[in-house]
C-alpha cells in the first residue's frame, strides 16, 4: 500500500461529471459531485468546496485528473490547461490555475487515464508491475501507460484511443471520431456502438454478433499495445466493458489468434492474467486524482 497516512485532496474532471474528494489512501472521507457543464460552473464551486473541506481535513497535496487533451509540459505557459478539446466550452481552460490561486502546496496534474493507471499501480490490479496500461472504453476511448511507477509523458501524453487499426470488414461503418472517423475510438466507443447497432451497449444481448466484431477490433488495438509497450497488465474499464467477462474472453481469444504464438509464454492462459478489469472499479477515476496528489507530495 502506498503512502496511505496523508490526507490528500483530489479533483477528477470527467467528460460528464466532476468529483472533488478528500481521501487518506483509498479511504474516501468526503466528496462533492457536479456536472461538467462549463469551466465557470465547475471550477469555482470545486475550489470553494475544497477550501471549506480544508477547515476539517488539513490535506497536504492536491491531485487533478482531467479529461484531455491537457498540457503536461512544465516549461509551457499552458501547463495545467485543458487544450483544444471537442468538448464545448472547455478548450484552453486553466485548470491548475484555479487551484493555485488559493493552495500553495504540491499539485499533481495529469490525464484521467494516467491517474487511474497510477491508482491501480498503487492499490489495484497492476501493483508491482514495471509496465502497465490502463484503458477506458465508454463515451470515448482513452489510455495511459505507467512505467516504473510514473505515468508516461513526452511530447504530450499517449493518445492511444486514436490509433488506426486493421478493422473488421464484416461491418461497414464510417466511424464516430470527429477527427479520424474509424480510429479505434471511432469504432468501439459507446456512441460508435450505438451508431452501429441502434442501441446503447448496455442494452445489447450477450449473443449479439456485434460483440465478435468489436472484440476483433479491440484485439487489434491491444495487440499493438502489447508489441509497443510490453505491458504486464492491460486493465480495461469504462461503461462498455463493465461486468462483461464474456466480452473480455472474446477479446483475449482474438489477441491470441493475432499474436500467432510470436511472443513466448504469452498464451491464452497468460492473456487471462494480463487483460483484466481494473480492481478499483468505478473508484479508479477519483482515486486516480488522489494518486496524483500523493505522487506530487513525494516529489
Ligand atoms: Zn480519432
Amino acid at each position: 500500500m502506498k503512502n496511505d497516512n496523508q490526507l490528500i485532496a483530489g479533483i477528477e474532471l470527467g467528460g460528464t461529471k466532476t468529483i472533488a474528494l478528500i481521501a487518506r489512501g483509498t479511504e474516501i472521507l468526503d466528496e462533492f459531485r457536479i456536472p461538467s457543464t462549463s469551466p465557470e460552473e465547475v471550477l469555482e464551486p470545486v475550489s470553494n468546496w475544497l477550501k471549506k473541506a480544508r477547515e476539517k481535513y488539513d490535506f497536504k497535496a492536491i491531485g487533478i485528473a482531467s479529461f484531455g487533451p491537457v498540457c503536461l509540459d512544465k516549461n509551457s505557459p499552458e501547463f495545467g490547461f485543458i487544450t483544444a478539446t471537442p468538448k464545448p466550452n472547455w478548450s484552453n481552460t486553466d485548470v491548475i490555475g484555479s487551484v493555485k490561486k488559493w493552495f500553495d502546496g504540491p499539485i499533481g496534474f495529469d490525464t484521467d487515464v494516467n491517474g487511474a493507471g497510477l491508482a491501480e499501480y498503487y492499490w489495484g490490479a497492476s501493483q508491482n508491475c514495471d509496465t502497465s496500461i490502463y484503458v477506458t472504453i465508454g463515451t470515448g476511448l482513452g489510455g495511459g501507460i505507467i512505467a516504473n511507477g510514473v505515468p508516461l509523458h513526452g511530447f504530450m501524453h499517449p493518445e492511444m484511443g486514436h490509433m488506426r487499426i486493421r478493422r473488421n470488414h464484416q461491418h461497414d461503418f464510417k466511424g464516430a471520431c470527429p477527427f479520424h472517423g474509424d480510429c479505434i475510438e471511432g469504432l468501439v466507443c459507446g456512441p460508435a456502438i450505438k451508431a452501429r447497432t441502434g442501441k446503447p451497449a448496455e442494452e445489447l444481448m450477450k449473443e449479439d454478433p456485434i460483440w465478435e466484431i468489436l472484440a476483433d477490433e479491440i484485439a487489434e488495438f491491444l495487440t499493438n499495445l502489447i508489441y509497443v509497450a510490453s505491458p504486464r497488465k492491460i486493465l480495461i474499464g469504462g461503461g462498455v466493458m463493465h461486468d462483461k467477462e464474456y466480452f473480455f474472453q472474446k477479446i483475449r481469444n482474438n489477441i491470441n489468434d493475432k499474436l500467432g504464438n510470436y511472443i513466448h509464454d504469452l498464451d491464452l492462459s497468460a492473456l487471462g492474467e494480463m487483460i483484466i478489469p481494473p480492481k478499483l472499479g468505478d473508484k479508479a477515476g477519483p482515486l486516480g486524482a488522489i494518486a496524483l496528489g500523493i505522487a506530487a507530495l513525494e516529489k
Side-chain angles (χ1 to χ4, degrees):
M1 295 295 261
K2 182 82 180 174
N3 201 347
D4 286 355
N5 48 3
Q6 297 280 9
L7 281 170
I8 306 288
I11 303 170
E12 185 202 10
L13 265 173
T16 51
K17 66 176 185 304
T18 294
I19 302 176
L21 69 158
I22 311 292
R24 183 181 275 119
T26 54
E27 187 194 357
I28 296 173
L29 303 169
D30 210 344
E31 68 168 33
F32 170 70
R33 289 168 181 250
I34 188 168
S36 302
T37 49
S38 70
E40 299 73 34
E41 285 169 356
V42 173
L43 297 177
E44 199 175 312
V46 162
S47 274
N48 289 341
W49 184 83
L50 286 171
K51 281 189 245 178
K52 187 95 179 103
R54 204 178 177 197
E55 294 166 13
K56 186 169 169 197
Y57 307 103
D58 182 23
F59 50 80
K60 301 299 180 203
I62 301 178
I64 305 172
S66 175
F67 66 86
V70 294
C71 176
L72 301 176
D73 177 0
K74 291 201 165 132
N75 297 317
S76 164
E78 291 209 309
F79 173 72
F81 278 54
I82 292 171
T83 56
T85 171
K87 185 171 160 59
N89 308 320
W90 284 87
S91 284
N92 304 313
T93 297
D94 182 6
V95 175
I96 210 168
S98 71
V99 174
K100 268 194 175 149
K101 270 189 257 176
W102 58 271
F103 183 76
D104 57 11
I107 303 172
F109 181 76
D110 214 313
T111 60
D112 46 4
V113 279
N114 269 338
L118 191 61
E120 289 286 334
Y121 173 78
Y122 284 173
W123 305 297
S126 52
Q127 290 178 57
N128 306 313
C129 292
D130 44 12
T131 304
S132 60
I133 298 181
Y134 180 92
V135 173
T136 177
I137 310 180
T139 314
L141 191 161
I145 300 177
I146 307 299
N148 301 312
V150 180
L152 188 70
H153 303 161
F155 181 76
M156 52 179 302
H157 45 79
E159 282 284 6
M160 61 181 79
H162 297 280
M163 188 190 291
R164 280 187 187 278
I165 51 105
R166 188 168 53 178
R167 57 182 291 190
N168 184 303
H169 284 289
Q170 286 176 52
H171 203 269
D172 184 24
F173 170 59
K174 66 180 173 29
C177 175
F179 296 93
H180 318 110
D182 63 352
C183 62
I184 186 65
E185 173 174 290
L187 288 171
V188 307
C189 69
I193 295 172
K194 191 162 181 216
R196 291 174 94 159
T197 64
K199 284 184 189 168
E202 59 272 22
E203 287 176 21
L204 290 167
M205 306 285 280
K206 203 171 153 179
E207 297 73 25
D208 196 294
I210 192 70
W211 294 117
E212 197 56 59
I213 291 170
L214 295 170
D216 175 19
E217 291 170 341
I218 292 170
E220 281 277 319
F221 165 62
L222 298 180
T223 304
N224 287 343
L225 290 181
I226 290 169
Y227 289 137
V228 169
S230 201
R232 304 267 179 193
K233 301 277 181 194
I234 302 180
L235 312 177
I236 320 178
V240 169
M241 302 302 299
H242 185 67
D243 211 15
K244 290 197 185 73
E245 178 52 30
Y246 65 93
F247 188 37
F248 271 90
Q249 196 50 48
K250 278 187 200 298
I251 292 170
R252 293 181 198 118
N253 292 342
N254 274 276
I255 295 174
N256 192 46
D257 291 347
K258 289 171 199 297
L259 288 172
N261 298 317
Y262 178 70
I263 299 183
H264 188 60
D265 288 344
L266 190 54
D267 57 10
L268 201 50
S269 141
L271 285 166
E273 306 276 308
M274 179 194 276
I275 313 291
I276 54 174
K279 193 175 169 188
L280 301 171
D282 56 8
K283 285 191 180 160
L287 289 178
I290 298 300
L292 294 171
I294 290 176
L297 189 62
E298 288 181 349
K299 257 191 197 146

